[in-house]
Amino acid sequence: SEIDVRVKVGGTPEDFKAQQDLWCKLMQIALDEKAVKSFICWGFTDLHSWVPGFYGGYGEALLYDKALKAKPAYKAVVKTMEEYKK
């Protein structure tokens, strides 16, 4: 399945921290589960995200912002992968 983690528009720093934590938790689950062969994001940038069109008042669900810059959540997911011990 594809993954995105939406946040209310105008979310607080706590909302984005919770988003980051959930992205990392999902990655950790994927890494721990031997049957998981890939971790697929439903897009990579908020610029073209499907979320706002289907969930009014929500967005910013992906790992890159509308300016195509990596968000803190992206960096945290990469760190989760780098620190993974098999």
Side-chain angles (χ1 to χ4, degrees):
S1 183
E2 298 87 5
I3 299 166
D4 53 50
V5 182
R6 63 185 176 268
V7 175
K8 279 190 172 185
V9 172
T12 67
E14 292 81 15
D15 293 332
F16 288 100
K17 176 67 169 111
Q19 178 192 48
Q20 175 179 309
D21 292 347
L22 184 52
W23 271 108
C24 290
K25 184 174 183 175
L26 292 168
M27 177 54 76
Q28 189 64 56
I29 290 168
L31 291 168
D32 289 340
E33 178 52 56
K34 292 177 188 194
V36 173
K37 301 298 180 202
S38 63
F39 188 89
I40 302 170
C41 301
W42 189 254
F44 77 97
T45 173
D46 292 333
L47 183 62
H48 302 292
S49 175
W50 68 279
V51 172
F54 286 85
Y55 294 96
Y58 285 85
E60 302 188 62
L62 299 168
L63 295 172
Y64 283 77
D65 66 17
K66 290 180 180 179
L68 306 177
K69 292 186 179 176
K71 295 180 184 176
Y74 170 83
K75 295 171 186 169
V77 168
V78 169
K79 184 177 179 184
T80 299
M81 290 187 289
E82 289 173 344
E83 292 176 350
Y84 181 69
K85 308 274 192 240
K86 287 191 175 189

